[in-house]
Amino acid sequence: MKIHEFQAKEVFREYKVPVPRGGAVADVDAAARTAASLGKYPVVVKAQIHAGGRGKGGGVKLAQSSEEVKEHAGAILGMNLVTHQTGPEGKTVKKLLIEEGLDIAKELYLSLIVDRETANIMVIASEAGGVEIEEVAASTPEKIIKVQINPLLGIQPYHCRQAAFGLNLPKAAIKPFSSMLTQLYKLFVAYDCSLVEINPLVLTSDDNVIALDAKMDFDDNARFRHQDVVEKYRDLDEEDPLEVEASKYNLNYINMDGNVGNMVNGAGLAMAVMDTIKLAGAEPANFLDVGGGATAEMVENGFRIILSDEKVKGILINIFGGILRCDVLAEGVVAAARNMDVKVPVVVRMEGTNVEEGRRILKESGMKLFTAFDMKDAGEQVARIVG
Ligand code: GDP
Ligand code: MN
């Protein structure tokens, strides 16, 4: 689960990680009031969406006066902000963060992630932070440093020094930086984060460090331990509506760009099905693993979600009946089809436990189905259907 910058900064404050003064607002008047309360200009007007690259996309503006705050706030609120992270469709801006403008000596990059390969928490840092960090990583990877922290030992002073030296920090900044990094590590563990990122981390001319930007991503597998965070910070407006719907039924569903809907049991098989669809020249509209132990009700909900996806022009169901029996799958599909108008062709490839019973249920349902004899055939049939 992602949260907004202003929310992440709230968490940072709680952990004494320095952030600029400011507040979130949802209209132009409140923006001007918050700016005035900061007591000086420039003030920064920042779009709050769950995506980075806002600066380059026109979602971060400096204002030198109350008039300029109103002007920028009016322009950014409600705008469809397109960044390299939102995709071409962009995201509508509904909230702003109004913050004091900082005096920036240098923009650094700092993040903590879970490194699956080493099972460590890894600090990534660079003295070449800011809006071009992707370019830095691509063309001068030696400017990115990594510090591994074994979670059983936790963060130690030498980790902080290693990061600080890698960032070429002036001597006076090492102490404030070390305490910031230590606090970030504590916060990362306490909240079961998968990512905490500060880009830029600002080095001020008086050798302090301040988190100018803040990004937090929570590990969804630990969500049950942080119900309070979910209640306080989850913003459903920022999530894909079909994915929100799927999460209600514990379905492993991800919405994608293509037009072939697909429903599969098992994540590996679902990946293979998406490959098969692409190999046949079409594009998957989603990933959906209904899981090994899915009930007819889960299948029904999964199928309903795919059917309600407007871009879907054909559906491929590939079930290898093991723990999830073919008849249970068939019942779920038929139940969903009974309540919804199935306007697109459905190709079914089914093998395994109770396959005859499953085929009979589908056949007697009166649904218009195409039967495939193997995966390759299924992919080719559905690709032909969607053109
Ligand atoms: P992002 O583009 O979505 O990552 O948004 P950021 O919060 O990182 O802002 C983008 C850029 O705007 C930063 O790298 C800064 O260069 C600039 N910026 C943001 N806040 C301030 C500020 O207080 N003062 C100045 N001078 N620049 C700022
Ligand atoms: Mn940033």
Side-chain angles (χ1 to χ4, degrees), residues 67 70 133 206 217 282:
E67 285 64 44
K70 287 185 193 158
I133 191 68
D206 56 357
D217 205 342

Side-chain angles (χ1 to χ4, degrees), residues 46 52-55 130-131 197-200 212-214:
K46 307 183 80 176
R54 297 162 302 169
V131 297
E197 184 184 60
I198 303 175
N199 185 35
L212 195 79
D213 195 2

Side-chain angles (χ1 to χ4, degrees), residues 122-161:
M122 186 160 76
V123 178
I124 304 177
S126 176
E127 62 173 317
V131 297
E132 301 295 346
I133 191 68
E134 283 92 353
E135 179 55 29
V136 173
S139 56
T140 48
E142 69 280 4
K143 286 191 181 155
I144 313 262
I145 60 150
K146 293 170 180 170
V147 180
Q148 299 277 357
I149 304 175
N150 181 328
L152 298 177
L153 299 175
I155 193 162
Q156 306 295 331
Y158 73 88
H159 292 126
C160 299
R161 284 195 297 272

Side-chain angles (χ1 to χ4, degrees), residues 260 277 280-282 378-387:
V260 177
I277 292 168
E380 284 166 0
Q381 282 199 47
V382 82
R384 219 173 299 130
I385 287 165
V386 300

Side-chain angles (χ1 to χ4, degrees), residues 77-105:
L77 269 174
M79 91 186 268
N80 188 47
L81 184 53
V82 180
T83 80
H84 64 94
Q85 288 186 8
T86 60
E89 67 280 7
K91 272 194 175 153
T92 308
V93 181
K94 296 184 175 163
K95 285 191 195 84
L96 300 173
L97 174 60
I98 306 297
E99 256 181 11
E100 61 179 333
L102 290 183
D103 133 50
I104 303 177

